[in-house]
Amino acid sequence: MTGQFQLTEDQLAIQDAARRFTADAITPHAAEWDEKHVFPKDTIRAAAELGFAAIYVSEENGGTGLGRLEAALIMEAMAYGCPSTSAFISIHNMASWMLDRFGSAEVKAKYLPRLVGMEWMASYCLTEPGSGSDAAALKTAAVRDGDDWLVTGTKQFISGAPENDLYLTMVRTGEDGPKGISCLAIEKTMPGVSFGAPEKKLGWHSQPTAALILDNVRVPAENLVGGLGEGFRIAMTGLDGGRLNIGACSLGGGQRCLDEALRYTRERKQFGQAIADFQNTQFMLADMATELEAARTLLYLAAAKVTDGAPDKTRFAAMAKRLATDNGSAVADRALQLHGGYGYLADYPVERFWRDLRVHSILEGTNQIMRLIVGRDLLRQ
């Protein structure tokens, strides 16, 4: 960004390309994907052709080599059409970046060429049935056996499972707590890998979600991502960017809901006039727009801090994620209210956005955990 918080010409061009792709390839089909639980692989791979599958993977390794603000602009634009599909692409980007940033030359050469074009799709696997917010308490165990790791355990709520090809999985290789956690790249086809039943979700119907079940899976030692015992740090570093992206998805979805509410309230007439003419309606619309702009400004600032590696990047990413996801959901809720009974019907898109955005305050760290991150960082100063 330059001057008085203006996007650069390159950033505007990226934003425009993402918006045009969304208008052509996502928005016209999103309602059907939601209704029929369609996983739109062809559309997702078309996004990859624009570089949207490896946004901040280095150019050296075939990626686009952009920053976190550019990624946020892309995710926000695509979420205007479908938050679920945009969020799926965000998770793939997070996994690809983790390989690029922390993987050995061997593991990069093995997987990144297939990930940057989405020939393969990747998942991020941290959460377990017994460890959600307390992520460092994970139990999935990896025991060294010669040139391999033998991995046993279960990962819960895995976006992309069972369709995705590669699972970046946090496993326990040592002592209890965060220092005993490492990261392994596990392929779908490795013997002992299986999946739970598809989860029946409130929203996010355009991407599959299931448990990843690992039963004595033999994983080559070269598939270790980062050093031994560095998995928790890698996972948390990845989440800084993931939180920005999911916040951006809430901004895009919230903006769509605001635009739908503006359109509907201009057209809908009650008591002899458009409901947009009532001061109460205007107050609601004004608050919706203000809350989105406030969250957008904070999120863009946080994205710049994460790109620059600022000392307070994690705090700002947590603040931005909390504000953007809370505000996006609140805007969707008020947009539904302004639609009245029609907002509750699938004929209008706001109910889909209301459902899709609700999970954003839970995943990538709940918004209560975001407050803990911020509060503890403030007290350390």
Side-chain angles (χ1 to χ4, degrees), residues 51-74:
F52 296 170
I55 299 168
Y56 33 84
V57 170
S58 63
E59 293 181 275
E60 174 188 357
N61 288 315
T64 312
L66 297 174
R68 300 311 176 109
L69 176 53
E70 289 80 8
L73 295 173
I74 292 167

Side-chain angles (χ1 to χ4, degrees), residues 321-364:
K321 188 267 184 183
R322 201 285 298 166
L323 187 65
T325 56
D326 277 352
N327 287 7
S329 288
V331 167
D333 188 69
R334 276 175 277 178
L336 195 154
Q337 188 71 20
L338 285 169
H339 279 70
Y342 291 106
Y344 202 66
L345 303 181
D347 305 81
Y348 292 80
V350 290
E351 66 85 26
R352 169 168 58 88
F353 282 86
W354 185 88
R355 288 186 287 107
D356 279 349
L357 296 185
R358 180 60 185 85
V359 75
H360 293 189
S361 61
I362 299 173
L363 50 80
E364 310 287 30

Side-chain angles (χ1 to χ4, degrees), residues 122-205:
S123 293
Y124 171 94
C125 308
L126 175 63
T127 299
E128 295 184 0
S131 60
S133 294
D134 187 10
L138 65 85
K139 300 295 184 184
T140 296
V143 178
R144 190 64 183 260
D145 183 43
D147 292 331
D148 301 316
W149 292 96
L150 294 178
V151 185
T152 298
T154 300
K155 294 295 180 178
Q156 188 74 351
F157 306 132
I158 304 306
S159 293
E163 297 290 334
N164 284 2
D165 307 281
L166 189 67
Y167 297 83
L168 266 67
T169 308
M170 308 308 146
V171 299
R172 185 158 304 284
T173 55
E175 63 188 79
D176 289 344
K179 294 182 180 179
I181 296 170
S182 302
C183 178
L184 290 173
I186 300 178
E187 298 178 21
K188 173 182 179 177
T189 57
M190 289 177 173
V193 174
S194 63
F195 302 92
E199 302 291 357
K200 298 177 181 179
K201 300 171 293 185
L202 175 70
W204 275 28
H205 291 165

Side-chain angles (χ1 to χ4, degrees), residues 291-314:
E291 289 167 17
L292 285 176
E293 290 297 343
R296 183 175 288 117
T297 300
L298 178 58
L299 190 130
Y300 288 4
L301 172 61
K305 284 179 174 286
V306 172
T307 298
D308 293 342
D312 53 3
K313 63 178 182 177
T314 296

Side-chain angles (χ1 to χ4, degrees), residues 53-120:
I55 299 168
Y56 33 84
V57 170
S58 63
E59 293 181 275
E60 174 188 357
N61 288 315
T64 312
L66 297 174
R68 300 311 176 109
L69 176 53
E70 289 80 8
L73 295 173
I74 292 167
M75 297 305 160
E76 182 179 355
M78 291 192 294
Y80 190 89
C82 181
S84 169
T85 302
S86 184
F88 176 85
I89 295 172
S90 165
I91 294 165
H92 174 89
N93 269 275
M94 179 166 62
S96 298
W97 174 80
M98 288 166 62
L99 280 174
D100 178 54
R101 174 66 177 82
F102 298 105
S104 65
E106 292 77 15
V107 80
K108 290 178 187 178
K110 185 189 292 189
Y111 296 120
L112 278 177
R114 287 179 279 189
L115 294 178
V116 295
M118 275 191 163
E119 176 189 350
W120 276 27

